[in-house]
Amino acid sequence: MNSNEEYFVSLISSHLNNMPPETHSDIDWEEIYRLSNIHNVCAIVTNQIMLMAKDKQPEKDIITKFRQQLGYTLIDYDDKNEALEFLRDKLTAARLDFLLVKGAVLRDYYPVKEYRTSGDIDVIINYRDIDRCREILCTENIKITDTRNNYFAFKYKSQNIEIHTNLDMDHPYFENIFDTCKKDGCEYKISDEVHLLYVLCHIVKHFNLFGAGIKMFMDVDVLIRHMKSFHYDDFLIKCRELNIETFAKSCFSLCNFWFNTPIKTEIDFNNNVDFRKLFEDEIINSGSFGFNKRDLGNYYINKGIGKSGKNNIFSKIRAFFAMLFPSKSYIQNKFKYLEKYPFLLPFAWFHRLFLAVFVRTKHSKGTIKSIMNSSDESEQYKKLLNELGI
């Protein structure tokens, strides 16, 4: 990381530790603002800026931009509360069991909960209830924006809400997630330990897609700080069972290195400089979900790069075929009619191909172009994933 990126991380760290930020005279505040934007943490950075002496703060026009983003964040917080109240009321009235995860829960663990932003509200319900849940929400003139066999998303005013089922999890371990939680009426409450496992698996999912931003690691930090007791070795046994032990160790070590997270660390990043730079640069430059650096073509080329770790013509061919012929589970989840008519699976593959060629032509061309133009950077990303054990 360069000096501005290091300072950006230090501002986040000072907030998580409830401490005043360090100040420096040679900071490019426009760059700090850009990083804050792509990681959706402007409110937190603004809060830290306002703790500085006036002569250490950025120029007036930059402060104005930060404050404007802080205002948007507070408005969004109120809108999310309204959407959550609507959702709780509807699901409770219908007697549908549900579980809130990630931002809707974790924001309460932050020093200033109003400043923890999120793109979506994530809710988990039982798979058996998904059709009824759709029907209930449709009667409210809700616009469903995406729907699959075991998942759908809708918009309530300005807020995006994602309804996941226990069969739409980032890891098979969570298919029985309701059994691990406490029930309070229709709403289930997730324990911090299970939530930490969930968050780690979610970060792994994002790394396997496009990338993961700093906010996901901030969530790890606040979860660990919130726990009354954390049994590191026992937790790693669970991580081993889920095949994420190496990643968990790397994640915890980075959180300790960046944020002084109170957790045992097994990787000395002062001595593992090459690995640290790969890890840090990927997170900082990718933005919240990796979209700032990577696209769908990069996702497919990552799948196409074999054990050699080389991005060559054979990798591009494999990536192209991965794009044309995705997994059976992906197709089954994409086309709802397969639930009743599984024998139409071959037709569904052609259906998807038709959509890619004739409906999403521009998008498909862009993905193919990205695959063909992919460079050595893809090899570095694959190297990082191998180092992380994912």
Side-chain angles (χ1 to χ4, degrees), residues 236-272:
L236 278 190
I237 291 173
K238 293 184 179 180
C239 290
R240 192 175 308 135
E241 293 171 357
L242 272 63
N243 246 353
I244 60 167
E245 181 183 7
T246 300
F247 176 77
K249 289 178 179 179
S250 302
C251 181
F252 294 154
S253 296
L254 185 66
C255 285
N256 178 271
F257 186 79
W258 272 0
F259 310 135
N260 200 29
T261 306
I263 192 170
K264 179 180 176 182
T265 177
E266 298 190 35
I267 301 173
D268 182 358
F269 279 124
N270 288 311
N271 290 326
N272 290 270

Side-chain angles (χ1 to χ4, degrees), residues 344-388:
L344 290 177
L345 180 62
F347 169 80
W349 257 303
F350 283 106
H351 184 184
R352 181 182 179 277
L353 188 59
F354 174 86
L355 293 174
V357 174
F358 297 104
V359 178
R360 305 177 72 233
T361 308
K362 185 177 179 180
H363 181 270
S364 298
K365 284 182 178 178
T367 301
I368 293 171
K369 184 178 179 181
S370 177
I371 291 172
M372 299 311 295
N373 291 338
S374 59
S375 63
D376 293 345
E377 189 276 334
S378 298
E379 295 181 4
Q380 291 299 303
Y381 190 62
K382 187 69 174 181
K383 179 181 178 182
L384 172 63
L385 296 188
N386 288 338
E387 292 267 11
L388 294 172

Side-chain angles (χ1 to χ4, degrees), residues 22 35 168 173 385:
E22 295 180 1
L35 290 168
D168 179 42
Y173 173 85
L385 296 188

Side-chain angles (χ1 to χ4, degrees), residues 47 94 121 152 154 176-177 183 191 214 279 283 319 350 360 367:
N47 183 77
I121 296 172
F152 72 95
F154 68 93
N176 300 313
I177 192 168
K183 189 174 184 180
S191 70
I214 195 171
F279 203 6
I283 295 166
F350 283 106
R360 305 177 72 233
T367 301

